[in-house]
Amino acid sequence: MKNIYFTCGPSQLYPTVKSHLKTALDNNLGSISHRGQQFQNIYKSAQTNLRKLLSIPLSHKIFFLSSSLESMERIIENCVEKQSFHFVNGAFSHKFYQFAKLLKKSPVKHEVDWGEGYLLNKIKIPKRTELICITQNETSTGASIPLQDINQIKQNHNVLVAVDIVSSAPYVKFDFSKIDLVFFSVQKGFGLPAGLSILIVSDRAIKKSNYLEKKGVNMGSYHSFSSLLEKGRIFQTPETPNVLSIYLLNQVCKDMLNKGITTIRKAIDENSKLVFDFFDQHPKYKPFVNNPVFRSRTTIEINVRGEANKILKKLKSSGIVVSSGYGKFKDNHIRIANFPAHSKDNFHKLINVIGYN
Ligand SMILES: *Cc1c(COP(=O)(O)O)cnc(C)c1O
């Protein structure tokens, strides 16, 4: 039986992926050289369409990396000499902080309980901070930070800002002029197989990495910003990249542009309302994040009071797969992804199977 994957990543593939995959194989994309014209065209086109879809200005470069955990590591290596500042409210934001420690920096964190949000602009950030790190959508808890707060953070702090939008892209609509580093992986909202992360970097962040490099700070090897830039100028990557994934990303970006990003974002709003309304009225199961301001619309977390296993089994027998809670929430929570690949009909199906008792 074919399952419907409401998992938080990898997730349901975008409906057109199957036919794009076939075309890719028919065109030998698994065998072409990553130093030839055919690849350069794919690279160029993927960047152009991604720029269009997410309204990324020319002041920001786009890099192809292997995963978002890699993006976190590269950001710290290339933009921080000593001190970064981290907003932590779950597993992924904590990883970002931890990576800075492992890389021998001296990160500082503001930490709240899992499932809580924070008013970014009310928190005191130390003077020596070089980079502020924000996980906009914390996939481990279903808490997200309102975009207007992120857009305002530079008004109060004239430092670099990095934002993890791994499980909220392409839903979130950023003002890139207010942010320096943004990253996501393709296996979540873009509905593609895993193995590619996109890192978007401002001129200002590039300048910082140049400064650190001149100073002799260790910034890794083949994926330092300077080597990515050098190859990027000729539409290539330093290593042999995931050509297939870059190709598929380009095709799916084109499909999303044809559909219209506004339409896609509106559908996500409507589907999230459907799910939250259902659980707000449920006699037993409740949305985990109490404050609606901080509720993620793309990764919806429900407290099912110890019945996660029972629900997962029930859904599975109807061909529906959702995520269990993350880590310590495994038995008590379920997580439902709401990405562009998920249709309203399938949300109705999901809700009907869970039911009110
Ligand atoms: C999935 C996820 C990551 C990690 O992405 P990988 O591609 O597995 O490295 C990082 N941050 C958030 C918020 C995520 O949901």
Side-chain angles (χ1 to χ4, degrees):
M1 182 170 64
K2 243 182 130 89
N3 290 328
I4 304 160
Y5 287 87
F6 282 100
T7 39
C8 293
S11 193
Q12 182 72 15
L13 294 184
Y14 200 69
T16 53
V17 169
K18 193 173 177 181
S19 81
H20 294 318
L21 205 45
K22 185 174 178 311
T23 310
L25 294 175
D26 288 345
N27 290 319
N28 306 308
L29 291 194
S31 309
I32 64 164
S33 166
H34 58 295
R35 301 287 173 230
Q37 188 67 47
Q38 199 181 350
F39 172 70
Q40 287 171 304
N41 291 345
I42 293 170
Y43 179 111
K44 215 192 284 190
S45 183
Q47 298 230 343
T48 304
N49 287 311
L50 199 56
R51 240 178 233 293
K52 257 193 229 160
L53 186 73
L54 301 180
S55 304
I56 304 168
L58 289 168
S59 55
H60 287 58
K61 299 282 184 296
I62 301 171
F63 295 146
F64 297 124
L65 305 182
S66 66
S67 77
S68 285
L69 296 186
E70 190 199 353
S71 288
M72 290 180 191
E73 183 170 285
R74 298 299 165 243
I75 289 170
I76 301 288
E77 279 178 331
N78 284 271
C79 297
V80 181
E81 183 179 4
K82 296 193 177 105
Q83 192 167 312
S84 50
F85 184 87
H86 300 255
F87 286 96
V88 176
N89 63 344
F92 291 104
S93 42
H94 187 259
K95 269 196 175 64
F96 211 165
Y97 165 78
Q98 203 182 19
F99 284 6
K101 275 179 96 173
L102 288 169
L103 291 166
K104 309 287 183 219
K105 313 292 178 188
S106 311
V108 175
K109 64 180 166 169
H110 172 76
E111 192 163 13
V112 296
D113 282 344
W114 284 39
E116 305 258 311
Y118 15 59
L119 299 167
L120 294 185
N121 295 306
K122 295 248 148 71
I123 313 295
K124 222 172 135 40
I125 294 177
K127 275 217 174 62
R128 287 165 61 194
T129 300
E130 296 161 69
L131 170 76
I132 298 173
C133 300
I134 304 165
T135 303
Q136 193 270 330
N137 195 76
E138 186 38 273
T139 319
S140 65
T141 67
S144 78
I145 308 301
L147 280 190
Q148 61 268 27
D149 289 8
I150 295 178
N151 284 336
Q152 275 172 13
I153 198 155
K154 274 202 186 258
Q155 284 175 6
N156 304 329
H157 309 282
N158 188 25
V159 297
L160 295 176
V161 176
V163 187
D164 174 337
I165 55 164
V166 179
S167 53
S168 49
Y171 170 70
V172 280
K173 191 177 172 208
F174 266 109
D175 181 349
F176 281 91
S177 70
K178 309 243 164 50
I179 296 151
D180 299 286
L181 302 119
V182 179
F183 58 96
F184 60 88
S185 298
V186 297
Q187 76 273 20
K188 309 215 172 163
F190 281 81
L192 291 167
L196 179 66
S197 172
I198 312 302
L199 173 60
I200 301 159
V201 183
S202 72
D203 282 343
R204 192 174 169 201
I206 303 267
K207 279 204 188 95
K208 174 77 189 261
S209 74
N210 289 338
Y211 164 80
L212 293 180
E213 194 161 34
K214 280 207 190 88
K215 215 173 164 184
V217 173
N218 178 14
M219 39 218 334
S221 55
Y222 73 108
H223 270 178
S224 66
F225 286 3
S226 63
S227 48
L228 285 160
L229 266 180
E230 190 190 324
K231 286 295 181 193
R233 272 184 213 110
I234 51 168
F235 311 109
Q236 293 181 9
T237 52
E239 83 291 20
T240 318
N242 192 337
V243 179
L244 182 61
S245 191
I246 296 171
Y247 170 81
L248 293 174
L249 174 67
N250 185 27
Q251 298 305 328
V252 165
C253 281
K254 285 190 219 168
D255 295 333
M256 289 183 177
L257 282 164
N258 282 336
K259 188 155 191 185
I261 189 68
T262 314
T263 308
I264 289 173
R265 287 172 175 154
K266 197 164 155 254
I268 289 175
D269 281 335
E270 286 169 7
N271 292 337
S272 79
K273 186 173 182 321
L274 189 76
V275 177
F276 279 119
D277 284 352
F278 172 78
F279 285 107
D280 276 330
Q281 287 163 34
H282 200 283
K284 201 161 177 192
Y285 312 145
K286 291 289 172 207
F288 172 55
V289 177
N290 279 326
N291 186 344
V293 170
F294 297 122
R295 282 181 185 172
S296 166
R297 298 196 169 167
T298 52
T299 56
I300 299 170
E301 181 137 347
I302 307 296
N303 182 351
V304 294
R305 299 167 203 277
E307 296 188 4
N309 237 335
K310 185 176 132 189
I311 296 172
L312 257 51
K313 268 195 198 133
K314 191 168 161 190
L315 287 169
K316 190 80 197 286
S317 66
S318 300
I320 296 173
V321 188
V322 300
S323 290
S324 61
Y326 192 98
K328 61 185 176 188
F329 294 142
K330 196 172 174 14
D331 298 327
N332 277 320
H333 294 187
I334 60 166
R335 291 174 301 153
I336 302 165
N338 176 17
F339 295 149
H342 297 117
S343 70
K344 179 163 267 170
D345 280 354
N346 284 334
F347 275 107
H348 279 297
K349 213 183 259 179
L350 169 87
I351 281 169
N352 282 338
V353 176
I354 293 179
Y356 274 127
N357 48 40

